[in-house]
C-alpha cells in the first residue's frame, strides 16, 4: 500500500496502531499474496492522496470497489481511463448530471478530476477479491473508513455529503456537524435509480450550497478522452 503522506496522516496514524488495523493489514497482505485483489495495492489510498482532508468539499460514499479486471483504482464509482465500458451506476450518474447541469456524457468513467477539486470519493471497504463482490467486508475496513467519515464530520467548515442508497445513509448518525449538508437519494444502480436518484439534482444543490458559503463550486464535467 502506498503510504498516506498528506494531512490525512495526522488524522489516521492513531488508526494504524490499533489492533483491528494490524489484523486488517495482515489479512489484506495475505489476500494480495494469494489471490487477485483490486484495486492494485498502490491505489488503495488514492482517494486520500488526491483529496487532502483540508481540501474536502464533498464526500461521496460508495460501498465496495469494482471487482473486475482493471477497473478499480481507489475512487468510488470511478474506473481507469482505458476501460471501454462505463459501469451502469456511473452511466446513471452521468444521466443525472446531464439532466441537472447540462453536462455532456463523456466517453470514459475516469473521475479523478472530481477528486482533485475536493470530492472525497470513499468506499466503505477499500479492497475486494477479483470477481467476488463484498469479499472483504467485515475485515476491518469499515472501522477505518468510519474514522475517515468522523474526521470529515469534525471539519469546521461547510461540506456536502452525497449519500446514495441505504448503506451510505446508515452513516447519517455519525454526521452531526450543523455546518454540513446531507443529501440523500436512492443508489444510482439500474435496480434503484428510477426510485428517486433520477431527478434528485444533488449536483446543482451541492454547488448552490458551496457558492452560498463562498466556496468554489465543483466542475462536474468529465471530458472526453481522445
Amino acid at each position: 500500500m502506498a503510504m498516506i503522506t498528506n494531512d490525512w496522516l495526522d488524522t489516521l496514524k492513531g488508526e494504524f496502531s490499533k489492533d483491528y488495523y494490524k489484523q486488517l493489514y495482515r489479512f489484506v497482505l495475505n489476500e494480495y499474496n494469494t489471490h487477485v485483489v483490486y484495486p492494485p495495492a498502490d491505489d488503495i489510498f488514492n482517494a486520500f492522496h488526491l483529496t487532502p482532508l483540508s481540501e474536502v468539499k464533498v464526500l461521496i460514499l460508495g460501498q465496495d470497489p469494482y471487482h473486475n479486471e482493471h477497473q478499480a483504482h481507489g475512487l468510488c464509482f470511478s474506473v481507469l481511463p482505458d476501460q471501454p465500458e462505463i459501469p451502469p451506476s456511473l452511466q446513471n450518474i452521468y444521466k443525472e448530471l446531464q439532466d441537472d447541469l447540462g453536462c455532456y456524457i463523456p466517453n470514459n468513467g475516469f473521475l479523478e478530476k472530481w477528486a482533485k477539486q475536493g470530492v472525497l470519493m470513499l468506499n466503505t471497504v477499500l479492497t475486494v477479491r477479483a470477481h467476488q463482490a463484498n469479499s472483504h467486508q467485515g475485515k476491518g475496513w469499515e472501522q477505518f473508513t468510519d474514522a475517515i467519515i468522523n474526521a470529515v464530520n469534525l471539519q469546521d467548515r461547510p461540506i456536502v455529503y452525497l449519500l446514495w442508497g441505504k448503506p451510505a445513509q446508515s452513516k447519517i448518525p455519525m454526521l452531526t456537524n450543523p455546518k454540513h449538508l446531507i443529501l440523500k437519494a436512492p443508489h444510482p444502480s439500474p435496480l434503484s435509480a428510477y426510485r428517486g436518484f433520477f431527478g434528485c439534482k444533488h449536483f446543482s444543490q451541492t454547488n448552490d450550497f458551496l457558492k452560498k458559503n463562498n466556496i468554489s463550486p465543483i466542475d462536474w464535467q468529465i471530458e472526453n478522452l481522445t
Side-chain angles (χ1 to χ4, degrees):
M1 302 183 203
M3 279 305 298
I4 296 167
T5 56
N6 59 17
D7 61 1
W8 280 110
L9 186 58
D10 286 339
T11 300
L12 295 174
K13 60 187 176 186
E15 299 301 308
F16 297 140
S17 61
K18 292 180 180 178
D19 286 344
Y20 89 87
Y21 190 86
K22 293 175 184 176
Q23 293 174 6
L24 170 65
Y25 185 89
R26 287 193 293 269
F27 167 77
V28 171
L29 190 63
N30 183 64
E31 285 286 288
Y32 275 94
N33 286 334
T34 57
H35 297 86
V36 177
V37 175
Y38 299 124
D42 284 347
D43 289 346
I44 293 173
F45 293 140
N46 268 353
F48 315 117
H49 300 318
L50 291 164
T51 313
L53 177 58
S54 59
E55 296 176 15
V56 174
K57 300 176 183 179
V58 181
L59 191 155
I60 299 178
L61 193 60
Q63 293 167 249
D64 203 37
Y66 295 121
H67 55 80
N68 290 327
E69 184 179 4
H70 214 235
Q71 287 185 317
H73 64 107
L75 305 179
C76 70
F77 293 105
S78 181
V79 292
L80 286 162
D82 62 354
Q83 280 298 299
E85 291 190 20
I86 297 171
S89 291
L90 183 53
Q91 289 182 35
N92 288 337
I93 290 170
Y94 284 163
K95 288 175 185 174
E96 176 59 22
L97 267 169
Q98 185 177 49
D99 181 63
D100 187 12
L101 292 175
C103 295
Y104 67 81
I105 295 177
N107 63 2
N108 68 93
F110 188 54
L111 305 181
E112 189 176 278
K113 176 182 176 179
W114 296 355
K116 289 180 175 178
Q117 295 179 81
V119 181
L120 181 63
M121 303 174 66
L122 180 67
N123 280 314
T124 52
V125 174
L126 299 187
T127 55
V128 66
R129 194 182 288 185
H131 315 303
Q132 296 184 40
N134 304 318
S135 50
H136 288 183
Q137 278 190 352
K139 303 298 184 181
W141 278 129
E142 294 89 347
Q143 188 171 341
F144 181 76
T145 52
D146 276 357
I148 303 287
I149 295 165
N150 185 58
V152 175
N153 180 62
L154 292 174
Q155 297 302 295
D156 187 30
R157 64 180 192 278
I159 292 172
V160 183
Y161 301 87
L162 301 184
L163 303 181
W164 300 328
K166 289 180 180 177
Q169 291 162 20
S170 72
K171 305 297 183 181
I172 288 174
M174 299 175 62
L175 307 179
T176 58
N177 194 322
K179 291 189 176 181
H180 297 177
L181 175 66
I182 298 170
L183 297 177
K184 299 182 293 180
H187 195 274
S189 81
L191 297 174
S192 55
Y194 288 95
R195 298 182 196 146
F197 178 78
F198 290 138
C200 70
K201 301 201 178 300
H202 278 186
F203 302 102
S204 59
Q205 288 187 65
T206 294
N207 280 355
D208 288 348
F209 177 80
L210 294 174
K211 287 185 283 190
K212 187 175 75 175
N213 287 283
N214 298 311
I215 299 168
S216 58
I218 307 299
D219 176 4
W220 295 103
Q221 179 67 68
I222 300 296
E223 285 83 15
N224 282 333
L225 295 174
T226 53

